[in-house]
């Protein structure tokens, strides 16, 4: 791995390299359905590329990453109504942008490439008078974007191309918030004027989200106390994956989790999707739904406060074997694979303790499933329906 550099695509040759990188990652690696994929030429070129500003990350002559930012003043953005952009007037439309298509080759995902791309589009946006940037993402990437400065501001949306995704917004001149969350972008942000008008607008328009702080910005003790307040029990008693953890151990692990709010009917992930995290119900309830051979669906379980899901895929790195649908408004904790890898490096004994709990939970669920199967068999043999 050499010296990574990030720059704006200058010509059609640069853009073609980006279109082919998208195909390599989205289609060949992730097996995603892409409306604009050209399978013959192995490239993905979208209409929004024509008004977008495309950046590429390079290692010597190889393109290893890319991101696109579109300015609203250059043309309409995709699905604007889904993101409630109109709520950000008078900054909308001329000071608004949307960043999409951030991706990095698998072998460079532990490098600084992704953060370098994000920093470059922040810089590019500020230099062009942009103050608000929108993205949408999946649960396992919320922490990455939150650490930069993006914030949750509304319920999940059903994107026509990507399904259920989480919208986030970055108030680019809100230096106070960047300082509060210890954003690595604060030093870069200080090169540009700070403002308070946009932050005040956010509080007025999105009061339910204005005081939400990501867990990583809190000390372990503060995270612990907040969860005790929500659950009326210590986390290592109320949360199944923390059984037999000491308060100090539980606090350390909790500080590595993300907290995401879901509205009723939202889909957390779908059956057969790639596994990207372990979830725990902090508040509310979630239904476990499986698709049958005839195409119909069946709810096989309801998960309540303290219960986990996604543990099988998390441990075995296999695809999801069920769909999770939120029944009551829920707060979910999520541990991403990246954070677990950090835990393994920083505290191997704690990582092993967590895995032990997960295997115990898996064993209990397997035994429960076996018991039910035996009950159904007895009922069948006795002539039951």
């Amino acid at each position: 791995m050499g010296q990574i550099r990030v720059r704006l695509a200058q010509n059609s040759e640069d853009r073609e390299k980006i279109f082919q990188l998208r195909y390599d990652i989205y289609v060949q690696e992730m097996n995603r359905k892409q409306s604009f994929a050209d399978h013959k030429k192995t490239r993905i070129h979208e209409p929004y590329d024509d008004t977008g500003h495309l950046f590429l990350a390079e290692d010597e002559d190889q393109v290893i990453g890319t991101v696109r930012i579109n300015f609203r003043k250059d043309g309409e953005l995709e699905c604007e109504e889904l993101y409630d952009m109109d709520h950000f007037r008078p900054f909308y439309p001329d000071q608004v942008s949307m960043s999409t298509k951030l991706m990095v080759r698998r072998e460079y995902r532990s490098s600084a490439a992704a953060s370098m791309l994000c920093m470059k589009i922040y810089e590019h946006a500020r230099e062009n008078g942009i103050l608000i940037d929108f993205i949408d993402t999946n649960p396992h990437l919320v922490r990455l974007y939150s650490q930069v400065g993006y914030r949750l501001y509304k319920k999940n949306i059903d994107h026509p191309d990507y399904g259920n995704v989480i919208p986030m917004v970055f108030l680019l001149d809100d230096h106070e918030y960047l300082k509060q969350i210890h954003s690595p972008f604060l030093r870069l942000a200080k090169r540009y004027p700070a403002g308070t008008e946009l932050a005040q607008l956010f509080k007025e328009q999105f009061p339910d989200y204005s005081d939400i702080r990501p867990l990583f910005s809190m000390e372990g003790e503060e995270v612990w106390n907040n969860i005790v307040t929500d659950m009326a029990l210590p986390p290592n008693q109320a949360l199944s994956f923390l059984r037999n953890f000491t308060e100090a151990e539980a606090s350390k692990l909790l500080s590595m989790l993300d907290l995401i709010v879901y509205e009723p009917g939202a889909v957390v992930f779908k059956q057969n999707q790639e596994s990207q995290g372990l979830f725990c119900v902090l508040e509310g309830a979630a239904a476990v739904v499986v698709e049958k051979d005839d195409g119909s669906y069946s709810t096989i379980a309801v998960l309540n406060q303290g219960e986990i899901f996604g543990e099988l895929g998390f441990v075995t790195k296999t695809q999801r074997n069920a769909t999770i649908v939120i029944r009551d408004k829920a707060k979910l904790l999520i541990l991403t694979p990246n954070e677990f890898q950090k835990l393994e490096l920083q505290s191997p004994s704690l990582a092993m303790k967590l895995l032990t709990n997960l295997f115990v939970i898996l064993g209990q669920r397997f035994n429960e499933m076996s018991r039910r199967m035996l009950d159904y068999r007895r009922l069948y043999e006795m002539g039951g329906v």
Side-chain angles (χ1 to χ4, degrees), residues 189-360:
K190 286 181 176 179
R191 299 179 190 173
Y192 306 93
T196 58
E197 185 181 351
L198 183 53
Q200 183 60 36
L201 175 68
F202 186 85
K203 290 181 180 179
E204 294 171 358
Q205 291 290 337
F206 306 98
D208 292 342
Y209 294 89
S210 61
D211 293 328
I212 292 179
R213 287 176 56 198
L215 297 187
F216 65 79
S217 68
M218 304 180 191
E219 298 294 334
E221 182 178 353
E222 186 178 1
V223 177
W224 175 277
N225 290 335
N226 284 346
I227 293 180
V228 168
T229 299
D230 286 341
M231 305 190 73
L233 280 174
N236 53 353
Q237 293 181 29
L239 305 179
S240 59
F241 68 99
L242 293 179
R243 297 289 164 79
N244 300 318
F245 276 53
T246 65
E247 181 174 336
E249 291 172 334
S251 296
K252 179 178 177 62
L253 182 56
L254 288 170
S255 67
M256 305 182 78
L257 305 182
D258 297 320
L259 178 62
I260 304 176
V261 178
Y262 285 87
E263 297 293 329
V267 176
V268 182
F269 55 72
K270 291 186 177 181
Q271 189 171 334
N272 298 321
Q273 279 187 340
E274 182 181 2
S275 297
Q276 291 286 4
L278 169 71
F279 294 80
C280 179
V281 181
L282 185 61
E283 289 184 14
V288 183
V289 180
V290 295
E291 183 177 1
K292 299 180 181 180
D293 293 338
D294 61 3
S296 62
Y297 293 86
S298 176
T299 298
I300 62 171
V302 175
L303 303 171
N304 297 298
Q305 188 179 66
E307 296 186 278
I308 67 171
F309 59 90
E311 74 283 356
L312 181 60
F314 186 81
V315 170
T316 63
K317 297 180 174 59
T318 55
Q319 292 181 323
R320 303 297 192 186
N321 58 7
T323 296
I324 303 295
V325 181
I326 300 300
R327 294 189 61 167
D328 305 319
K329 186 173 181 178
K331 291 182 180 179
L332 302 183
L333 296 169
I334 174 175
L335 175 64
T336 67
N338 285 343
E339 292 304 307
F340 181 71
Q341 288 176 6
K342 292 179 185 178
L343 181 66
E344 287 182 305
L345 292 174
Q346 296 171 5
S347 181
S349 61
L350 194 56
M352 183 57 66
K353 199 168 186 177
L354 172 62
L355 286 175
T356 299
N357 277 355
L358 296 184
F359 281 120
V360 169

Side-chain angles (χ1 to χ4, degrees), residues 74-88:
D74 294 337
E76 289 189 5
L77 304 176
E78 61 178 85
C79 307
E80 290 184 24
E81 66 284 352
L82 286 178
Y83 299 88
D84 290 339
M85 293 185 185
D86 191 65
H87 287 54
F88 288 87

